[in-house]
Amino acid sequence: MPSTSSQESTMAQESPKNSAAEIPVTSNGEVDDSHEHGFNRDLKCSLPAGLGLSETQITSHGFDSTKEGVIEAGAFQGSPAPPLPSVMSPSRVAASRLAQQGSDLIVPAGGQRTQTKSGPVILADETKNPAMEKLELVRKWSLNTYKCTRQIISEKLGRGSRTVDLELEAQIDILRDNKKKYENILKLAQTLSTQLFQMVHTQRQLGDAFADLSLKSLELHEEFGYNADTQKLLAKNGETLLGAINFFIASVNTLVNKTIEDTLMTVKQYESARIEYDAYRTDLEELNLGPRDANTLPKIEQSQHLFQAHKEKYDKMRNDVSVKLKFLEENKVKVLHNQLVLFHNAIAAYFAGNQKQLEQTLKQFHIKLKTPGVDAPSWLEEQ
């Protein structure tokens, strides 16, 4: 049958071309036989029934194989079917597919290929993102500021309720009032110290002038000498009194601007905690008055948690303020008692002219004056 042999030779010539048209590669770098079997099945169906071929099988090899395509004939079974085109995809399509699959292959140093799974890579978030942390802090601060501002405005307008500790609030008001009075005493004592310093300086200059005239006026030598000694003694006692007043000022200044101010800073923190506590308490009360469903229950639980945390903070700050007020009162009484005794004894001894009593008062309170020799120049030296 010449027609049958001519068709077989034609298919044998076209077989190598078709087998090299597209070579599927599996994930392990091996030739995929499933595509070969599919191609053979299509080829069987494409052959007409009148050819009388018992079976057709096509075996394809790799690019490096020197063998041509082989067609084996055997018994053919099956119903006739319309011919299907046996033209495969162009070789550039196979090359592009191989290139895509080759991108997933990693060749290690030993030459063995291993396939890596493609897709998104998920990295473990071991360290938190600083930007996200800052953003979360800003969000919490903004929410807390909004709640506290709303609470303050509602209190000023008389619409909101506030938590009041009557005993503690009374002690805080007394402390603030006493601070203002102590600041006034401190200001007046500083004014007295400045004026006394100017008077002592003037007395020292006047004593130097009298001493100079006692040397130049023989007829008034004794009179000028007495006045010079008196002014110098007054200047010396004034310096002693000035040392006592400055010590009094330093002690009261420490009490007012450090000890009391530190307590008032704690009071401010307590008031801020009280505002936060009332703000979250009001928020929780509003949520409890509303409906309870699947959407509001998580909000109520979160609000309850925040309210409890701010309540603990408020209780802690209230206890801290109570303790500090107690210790401040004890320290204030002790400090002011000693300073008031010093101020009284020094002033009384100075105006009584009791130099020994004045010096004894300074020794009693361990007050050391500046060493002599650093006084201002005399009137004659300035000339």
Side-chain angles (χ1 to χ4, degrees):
M1 298 175 67
S3 61
T4 304
S5 61
S6 61
Q7 289 181 359
E8 290 178 355
S9 61
T10 302
M11 292 179 61
Q13 291 175 0
E14 292 177 355
S15 176
K17 185 186 300 183
N18 293 334
S19 63
E22 180 178 1
I23 301 177
V25 181
T26 62
S27 60
N28 293 327
E30 300 175 354
V31 178
D32 191 356
D33 297 333
S34 62
H35 295 280
E36 261 185 359
H37 297 309
F39 175 74
N40 295 336
R41 185 177 63 254
D42 295 338
L43 186 58
K44 292 177 184 179
C45 296
S46 64
L47 292 176
L51 291 179
L53 296 178
S54 60
E55 183 179 2
T56 303
Q57 179 179 0
I58 294 179
T59 305
S60 60
H61 301 277
F63 290 108
D64 55 350
S65 176
T66 58
K67 297 180 181 181
E68 298 290 337
V70 179
I71 301 178
E72 298 178 0
F76 175 76
Q77 296 177 359
S79 62
L84 296 175
S86 60
V87 180
M88 302 300 292
S89 302
S91 60
R92 59 182 180 181
V93 177
S96 63
R97 187 174 298 177
L98 287 172
Q100 292 178 359
Q101 293 180 357
S103 62
D104 292 337
L105 298 178
I106 298 177
V107 180
Q112 184 180 0
R113 291 185 176 183
T114 57
Q115 182 181 8
T116 59
K117 295 182 179 180
S118 60
V121 179
I122 302 176
L123 299 178
D125 190 11
E126 296 180 356
T127 59
K128 295 183 179 179
N129 192 354
M132 296 301 296
E133 290 183 355
K134 291 182 180 179
L135 185 62
E136 183 66 18
L137 290 176
V138 170
R139 188 189 70 82
K140 291 181 179 179
W141 175 84
S142 301
L143 182 61
N144 186 72
T145 303
Y146 165 74
K147 291 180 180 293
C148 294
T149 304
R150 184 183 64 178
Q151 177 67 23
I152 293 173
I153 294 175
S154 62
E155 289 179 2
K156 289 185 178 295
L157 295 178
R159 298 177 181 176
S161 61
R162 55 170 296 180
T163 304
V164 180
D165 190 335
L166 297 178
E167 182 179 358
L168 189 61
E169 293 290 339
Q171 294 178 3
I172 292 174
D173 293 339
I174 293 174
L175 176 63
R176 287 173 174 165
D177 185 62
N178 288 338
K179 184 176 183 292
K180 293 180 180 179
K181 294 179 180 180
Y182 295 155
E183 286 176 346
N184 185 39
I185 292 176
L186 184 61
K187 183 179 179 181
L188 294 175
Q190 290 173 346
T191 303
L192 177 62
S193 175
T194 302
Q195 294 175 352
L196 181 60
F197 174 79
Q198 294 294 334
M199 186 182 70
V200 169
H201 181 66
T202 303
Q203 288 175 342
R204 188 184 298 109
Q205 290 181 340
L206 188 59
D208 293 338
F210 283 148
D212 181 66
L213 289 174
S214 68
L215 296 176
K216 294 181 178 180
S217 301
L218 298 178
E219 63 278 5
L220 298 175
H221 172 71
E222 294 182 358
E223 288 78 1
F224 281 121
Y226 295 153
N227 284 279
D229 294 338
T230 302
Q231 294 300 322
K232 289 181 178 180
L233 180 61
L234 290 175
K236 182 179 179 182
N237 294 338
E239 291 176 354
T240 305
L241 177 63
L242 188 62
I245 294 177
N246 289 336
F247 185 79
F248 172 81
I249 291 173
S251 300
V252 175
N253 181 63
T254 302
L255 176 65
V256 173
N257 294 325
K258 290 185 178 181
T259 308
I260 296 180
E261 187 65 25
D262 178 70
T263 304
L264 290 178
M265 287 296 296
T266 307
V267 170
K268 291 180 180 179
Q269 295 176 2
Y270 157 74
E271 292 177 347
S272 299
R274 196 273 308 167
I275 293 174
E276 292 179 354
Y277 165 71
D278 285 337
Y280 284 92
R281 176 182 57 81
T282 303
D283 192 15
L284 180 60
E285 291 175 354
E286 292 177 355
L287 289 176
N288 287 329
L289 293 176
R292 291 177 175 267
D293 52 17
N295 295 328
T296 58
L297 284 178
K299 296 181 180 180
I300 293 175
E301 292 179 0
Q302 183 181 7
S303 180
Q304 180 68 33
H305 177 71
L306 294 174
F307 166 74
Q308 189 64 29
H310 286 86
K311 183 178 184 301
E312 293 176 358
K313 180 181 178 181
Y314 167 72
D315 293 338
K316 179 180 179 300
M317 294 306 304
R318 181 175 59 182
N319 294 333
D320 291 346
V321 171
S322 300
V323 172
K324 281 200 171 186
L325 287 174
K326 180 180 179 181
F327 284 110
L328 175 63
E329 186 66 23
E330 296 176 357
N331 188 28
K332 181 190 70 174
V333 171
K334 181 180 179 180
V335 170
L336 288 181
H337 172 75
N338 294 333
Q339 298 304 317
L340 291 174
V341 170
L342 166 66
F343 191 82
H344 172 267
N345 292 343
I347 293 292
Y350 173 79
F351 285 99
N354 192 343
Q355 182 181 1
K356 294 182 178 180
Q357 182 65 30
L358 185 59
E359 293 177 354
Q360 185 65 30
T361 301
L362 266 66
K363 290 181 180 180
Q364 179 182 355
F365 291 94
H366 308 284
I367 301 174
K368 295 182 180 180
L369 299 176
K370 294 182 179 180
T371 57
V374 292
D375 298 337
S378 63
W379 176 74
L380 292 176
E381 291 174 348
E382 290 180 352
Q383 296 295 326

